[in-house]
Amino acid sequence: MTDAQTAAERLAALRSEIDAHNYRYYVLDEPTVPDAEYDRLFRELQALEAEHPELVTPESPTQRVGGEALAAFGQVRHEIPMLSLGNAFEEQDLLDFDRRVREGLDLPAGDLFGGGAEVDYSCEPKLDGLAVSLLYENGVLVRGATRGDGSVGEDISANVRTVRNIPLKLHGEGWPAVLEVRGEIYMPKAGFEALNARQLESGGKPFANPRNAAAGSLRQLDPKITASRPLEFCTYGVGRCDGELPGTHIEILHAFKRWGLPISRELKRAKGVAECRAYYDDIGARRDGLAYEIDGVVFKVNAIAQQRELGFRAREPRWAIAHKFPAREELTELLDVEFQVGRTGAITPVARLKPVQVAGVTVSNATLHNMDEVARLGVMIGDTVIVRRAGDVIPQILGIIAERRPADARAVHVPEQCPVCGSAVERTQLIKRGKGRESVSEGAVYRCIGRLSCRAQLKQAIIHFVSRRAMDIDGLGDKIVEQLVDRGLVNSPADLYTLAYEQIIVLDGFADLSTRNLLAAIEHSRTPTLARFIYALGIPDVGEETAKLLARALGSLARIQVALPEVLTWLPDVGLEVAHEISHFFLDEHNRQVIARLLEHVQLQGEGELHAEFAACATLPELLGKLNIPHIAVTGAQKLADRFGSLEAIITADWLDLRQVERLTEKAARSLREFFDQPGNVERARAIEAQLRAFGMHWESERQQAAGLPLAGQTWVLTGTLESMSREQGKERLEGLGAKVAGSVSAKTTAVVAGPGAGSKLAKATELGVKVLDEEAFLAALAQLNG
Ligand code: IVH
């Protein structure tokens, strides 16, 4: 085979591979390889074509900008093509660019240290989104289009209008009669994270990166979907322009800003290539802190006259270049999956990777989160995977290259025994309540059941226990905890309190003073607040905030320890799952022993009463709600509570009694009866009520509270509009005086306050002979009652 033949074959292979990637990237918004891999293929093709110019064809991907207009949208012909940019990967590429610019402008040569005449450049971040063209006629946005293949794009006017920082009309004055601005639509990082979280929650597929998310959002046939996506726009250039614009790129962008078009806050001017280089370093250092993804910076010759002089080469301007940052995504091989044991026993799969350089750092491990993630990625050992490293975050595996799976790839299996202690591994369960019963499904997390007998868990538990926000034992770093555990000196957190001077001083890195300091720190931790203690126990899903909440609301460890899950869900932000974790934790015999031993050494501070606000928040309708009785919704529960007044009366109510409850359907009544015909349900309901009573948060305490108030026991109804206050304010005033404020009028209603516009409620009150007050009389009554 001749050289030209092999080159021709390689060219054909590269072109078809790049074409396939282009299609997935531009049309499907679903690239399968990282940009770095694409860039490598593209550069190989460029280099090969440079060696064999006779083999360059017009269809070669190097001859096009990439992207095809989607037929689903109308087509837009760009009168001035939307071009792409040349890339600089190394410093030398940038110096070469600057040299070509100087040569093109006939300027004397310079170097990184100045010298020669320096070119005036503008510097901007290279946003990682989608290029768009916005056409303004007489200051009004008339069209928005994608770049497409550079000559023909898609008409996405309706979608573009939903991007909130794109002005539909230009501000101020002086804009050209026809002005086509160009820029990038992108999705900020925070919005991207939130969108992906929503996608996952609704069972959808998460987007691989913000660029894909932006592209996918803009290419929606329904603009309402686009509108719901957190997109932003940033202007970086001009297309068609019938009218005058300033003479430099930076001045043009500042004019755009005055007309209401967003421009980059990072736009800067650079004198010469050395300042460009400094800009690149500065933005590079701040890359992780920016609110949006960038993949490099763009340098442009600032003077428009010089841009004209330089002109274009193929599909790229000679006056601009993109200086790319090292890629954050790379390809490598998954060598193995190991399992790590965390503080709560959770067993986490960790990917062992063939070491690869990602954005300047060697990556050989990545997190796989849990087995659901492994399943979602469909990853097998031996696969070629895409790894991503962004900022300080642990490297992540984004996906696999399915085509490169080797024949001997192996599935990832959870070990049946804990890799550290050999105890059994259990799959966690998810408990959901609905329609009167609990349903249990399998969770994504596997746990070693060894608890503190598992050294991995013990170490993590102690590290957490002594941490600053928990028991705050200074001087007990991770390495020391490891030694204490490995030497068998500490088998439970309580053992910290019986450590002796002789046992500590022999540890690596300890001398007399450090030993005495550590003993003093341990001593000092003997009087924690209840909140710190709860947090220090390391209950799954109980962070510092939840620990504080539990301590503040329930006031004592004894109450927290026995609280039923349903009672815990009365706490704001505590859902049934967390409530079950808490209650499970305290029911566990092993945990009880650990706590009992700890209490021999520590005295909890600030234990006290149940918080008054918490005490007052339990109501009978809510209790009925927590029982999840089928067909009994909020109104039904309210009606039952109004009618029967106590749980016991509802449990024992007979069919006839139930049928008397106003607006309670037959179906609901039957369902209620069936529910309480099951002894388990009755017991559970009684237990919850008994606990609420024991804690002092029973609704009877509400009544007692109201009992001393002037309107206690009364039911008022507000209808029509009030002039001096809103209905909500009126309700608050009445409730403050002990009254209940109801939404409908019945024979039991004490009084109706009727403002202008009152309708059926007023009529019903008149019909039933209920007392009616107008606003004036109402105000007079309030004034009298308030004294
Ligand atoms: S200027 C003729 N400026 O990069 C110059 N492009 O590879 C055309 N991009 O299609 C582009 N930020 O999607 C320019 N500040 C910036 C940019 C930028 C992102 C994108 C744009 C363009 C691609 C070129």
Side-chain angles (χ1 to χ4, degrees):
M1 212 180 323
T2 66
D3 232 23
Q5 256 178 326
T6 18
E9 272 170 23
R10 182 65 189 147
L11 277 175
L14 281 169
R15 283 174 189 160
S16 81
E17 188 171 357
I18 291 171
D19 272 341
H21 290 320
N22 274 343
Y23 177 72
R24 285 194 286 248
Y25 185 94
Y26 289 107
V27 181
L28 303 182
D29 297 322
E30 264 181 21
T32 50
V33 295
D35 290 356
E37 174 75 2
Y38 177 86
D39 286 343
R40 265 193 297 274
L41 294 169
F42 202 85
R43 270 182 283 161
E44 187 186 341
L45 180 61
Q46 277 176 325
L48 210 53
E49 286 184 351
E51 265 178 52
H52 298 276
E54 74 283 2
L55 297 178
V56 177
T57 59
E59 307 84 56
S60 172
T62 56
Q63 307 302 303
R64 335 183 323 145
V65 186
E68 256 166 61
L70 272 194
F73 292 96
Q75 297 201 328
V76 169
R77 178 159 292 282
H78 300 299
E79 286 179 40
I80 299 174
M82 289 182 80
L83 301 177
S84 101
L85 288 171
N87 288 327
F89 293 96
E90 320 275 336
E91 181 159 335
Q92 190 56 49
D93 301 335
L94 182 64
L95 293 175
D96 290 346
F97 164 74
D98 181 57
R99 183 180 39 74
R100 290 195 302 271
V101 167
R102 287 155 178 287
E103 285 169 3
L105 296 174
D106 271 338
L107 296 174
D111 52 40
L112 254 186
F113 309 101
E118 286 173 325
V119 181
D120 184 17
Y121 289 110
S122 87
C123 315
E124 301 155 43
K126 185 170 189 299
L127 296 161
D128 207 3
L130 215 76
V132 291
S133 141
L134 304 179
L135 184 64
Y136 287 89
E137 284 177 2
N138 299 316
V140 177
L141 177 66
V142 295
R143 196 194 69 195
T146 64
R147 179 168 72 158
D149 66 2
S151 308
V152 178
E154 296 128 319
D155 186 333
I156 50 160
S157 305
N159 292 349
V160 149
R161 281 182 221 281
T162 69
V163 177
R164 275 169 281 277
N165 70 342
I166 291 183
L168 300 180
K169 272 181 84 167
L170 295 179
H171 306 181
E173 54 202 42
W175 20 261
V178 176
L179 176 66
E180 182 203 350
V181 300
R182 290 176 177 176
E184 199 86 347
I185 290 187
Y186 60 97
M187 191 176 288
K189 291 175 192 168
F192 166 72
E193 300 293 338
L195 172 63
N196 260 1
R198 286 208 307 265
Q199 290 282 112
L200 279 175
E201 223 164 73
S202 61
K205 220 167 98 183
F207 292 98
N209 54 46
R211 200 212 79 89
N212 278 305
S217 303
L218 266 190
R219 294 258 197 67
Q220 291 288 337
L221 290 172
D222 179 359
K224 279 204 223 64
I225 300 183
T226 312
S228 74
R229 304 281 171 85
L231 296 172
E232 284 180 19
F233 174 70
C234 178
T235 323
Y236 56 63
V238 202
R240 208 183 128 189
C241 169
D242 297 356
E244 287 293 303
L245 286 175
T248 68
H249 177 68
I250 294 182
E251 286 169 328
I252 292 174
L253 291 186
H254 279 133
F256 284 179
K257 188 178 173 189
R258 286 197 298 280
W259 297 335
L261 290 159
I263 64 170
S264 173
R265 289 168 54 168
E266 304 293 343
L267 174 69
K268 294 244 160 59
R269 194 172 161 186
K271 271 276 175 211
V273 71
E275 285 188 22
C276 288
R277 178 68 211 195
Y279 180 85
Y280 174 83
D281 289 341
D282 172 53
I283 298 275
R286 292 192 288 118
R287 183 181 183 189
D288 294 332
L290 296 178
Y292 41 83
E293 283 288 354
I294 58 175
D295 54 352
V297 293
V298 181
F299 302 124
K300 294 171 189 163
V301 170
N302 194 22
I304 304 298
Q306 289 185 331
Q307 288 188 1
R308 290 217 181 90
E309 208 178 323
L310 287 161
F312 300 88
R313 167 179 148 256
R315 314 288 316 242
E316 293 164 14
R318 284 206 182 82
W319 44 265
I321 194 156
H323 194 181
K324 297 280 240 17
F325 289 134
R328 292 174 178 284
E329 290 172 19
E330 285 291 349
L331 291 182
T332 189
E333 193 188 322
L334 178 64
L335 300 177
D336 202 359
V337 174
E338 287 173 11
F339 288 85
Q340 263 174 9
V341 186
R343 166 165 62 83
T344 59
I347 297 204
T348 319
V350 179
R352 301 285 177 232
L353 303 168
K354 186 166 164 198
V356 60
Q357 286 277 116
V358 187
V361 170
T362 308
V363 171
S364 44
N365 299 314
T367 171
L368 279 164
H369 303 295
N370 55 43
M371 290 308 286
D372 276 6
E373 177 76 354
V374 170
R376 190 181 69 76
L377 293 167
V379 66
M380 291 174 80
I381 297 163
D383 268 340
T384 297
V385 295
I386 305 171
V387 271
R388 177 184 172 80
R389 196 186 72 84
D392 295 323
V393 197
I394 312 162
Q396 271 188 307
I397 293 192
L398 293 187
I400 62 167
I401 313 288
E403 306 94 80
R404 299 202 196 162
R405 171 166 292 165
D408 60 352
R410 285 181 294 131
V412 180
H413 290 299
V414 186
E416 279 167 21
Q417 267 123 28
C418 169
V420 177
C421 72
S423 299
V425 169
E426 268 180 1
R427 190 165 189 175
T428 51
Q429 295 182 327
L430 289 180
I431 302 165
K432 287 222 174 75
R433 297 201 108 204
K435 299 259 158 98
R437 63 179 78 91
E438 285 188 356
S439 71
V440 179
S441 60
E442 294 196 312
V445 177
Y446 288 79
R447 272 195 198 144
C448 155
I449 61 162
R451 281 170 303 222
L452 298 189
S453 70
C454 173
R455 289 212 310 208
Q457 287 183 64
L458 176 62
K459 283 178 190 171
Q460 294 301 321
I462 304 273
I463 290 170
H464 174 77
F465 184 79
V466 305
S467 63
R468 201 168 54 80
R469 294 172 179 282
M471 301 296 272
D472 192 19
I473 304 183
D474 207 20
L476 251 183
D478 299 3
K479 288 272 167 302
I480 300 156
V481 172
E482 287 212 354
Q483 290 188 64
L484 291 171
V485 170
D486 289 342
R487 288 171 186 233
L489 295 173
V490 169
N491 294 305
S492 143
D495 292 342
L496 292 170
Y497 294 98
T498 54
L499 281 174
Y501 180 92
E502 300 73 37
Q503 290 174 311
I504 299 174
I505 194 149
V506 293
L507 299 177
D508 291 348
F510 274 89
D512 175 60
L513 184 64
S514 45
T515 304
R516 278 191 285 134
N517 283 346
L518 178 56
L519 283 169
I522 293 174
E523 197 54 35
H524 189 75
S525 75
R526 282 181 191 263
T527 49
T529 60
L530 175 59
R532 272 182 186 273
F533 184 77
I534 295 289
Y535 174 60
L537 291 177
I539 306 164
D541 290 342
V542 176
E544 209 184 348
E545 288 312 313
T546 309
K548 280 186 191 159
L549 183 69
L550 284 168
R552 208 181 50 214
L554 288 167
S556 80
L557 180 62
R559 280 189 212 104
I560 298 172
Q561 275 180 299
V562 298
L564 296 167
E566 288 85 351
V567 173
L568 289 170
T569 60
W570 252 286
L571 289 166
D573 296 333
V574 174
L576 199 62
E577 231 164 90
V578 178
H580 270 279
E581 283 286 9
I582 298 170
S583 141
H584 234 89
F585 183 91
F586 288 110
L587 282 175
D588 182 279
E589 190 45 42
H590 176 92
N591 292 336
R592 282 168 185 258
Q593 283 174 19
V594 171
I595 294 168
R597 280 208 54 215
L598 270 171
L599 291 176
E600 291 170 14
H601 301 281
V602 302
Q603 284 86 45
L604 302 180
Q605 303 300 299
E607 280 195 297
E609 290 307 305
L610 196 81
H611 197 279
E613 212 176 290
F614 187 48
C617 74
T619 63
L620 180 54
E622 268 186 71
L623 167 61
L624 293 173
K626 295 204 188 285
L627 295 174
N628 263 307
I629 307 166
H631 311 296
I632 304 286
V634 188
T635 16
Q638 185 70 53
K639 295 262 176 288
L640 285 165
D642 284 350
R643 164 93 191 182
F644 295 102
S646 78
L647 177 70
E648 217 43 50
I650 297 173
I651 291 176
T652 51
D654 65 24
W655 178 248
L656 279 179
D657 289 338
L658 288 175
R659 292 301 292 132
Q660 305 261 309
V661 180
E662 201 193 343
R663 292 210 311 223
L664 189 74
T665 63
E666 192 179 330
K667 199 169 172 186
R670 181 165 300 128
S671 165
L672 184 81
R673 259 303 21 100
E674 279 168 12
F675 183 85
F676 283 125
D677 278 346
Q678 293 174 22
N681 289 338
V682 174
E683 272 165 35
R684 182 104 203 130
R686 283 189 177 138
I688 298 169
E689 202 206 18
Q691 181 160 86
L692 294 173
R693 209 185 287 274
F695 282 4
M697 57 186 290
H698 196 263
W699 39 96
E700 276 171 9
S701 64
E702 220 176 298
R703 259 191 221 146
Q704 281 160 13
Q705 246 189 3
L709 296 169
L711 301 184
Q714 299 193 2
T715 306
W716 287 56
V717 173
L718 295 165
T719 179
T721 37
L722 298 180
E723 263 177 23
S724 57
M725 64 181 93
S726 68
R727 275 224 297 266
E728 197 47 41
Q729 286 166 330
K731 180 168 181 244
E732 274 170 23
R733 298 278 295 270
L734 285 166
E735 284 173 348
L737 292 164
K740 266 180 57 178
V741 177
S744 59
V745 179
S746 75
K748 285 202 221 146
T749 309
T750 317
V752 172
V753 179
S760 63
K761 290 178 194 169
L762 177 58
K764 179 121 187 238
T766 324
E767 184 193 316
L768 294 172
V770 172
K771 186 162 114 191
V772 177
L773 285 79
D774 62 12
E775 182 162 1
E776 201 179 325
F778 176 51
L779 290 174
L782 286 178
Q784 200 187 358
L785 290 167
N786 280 332

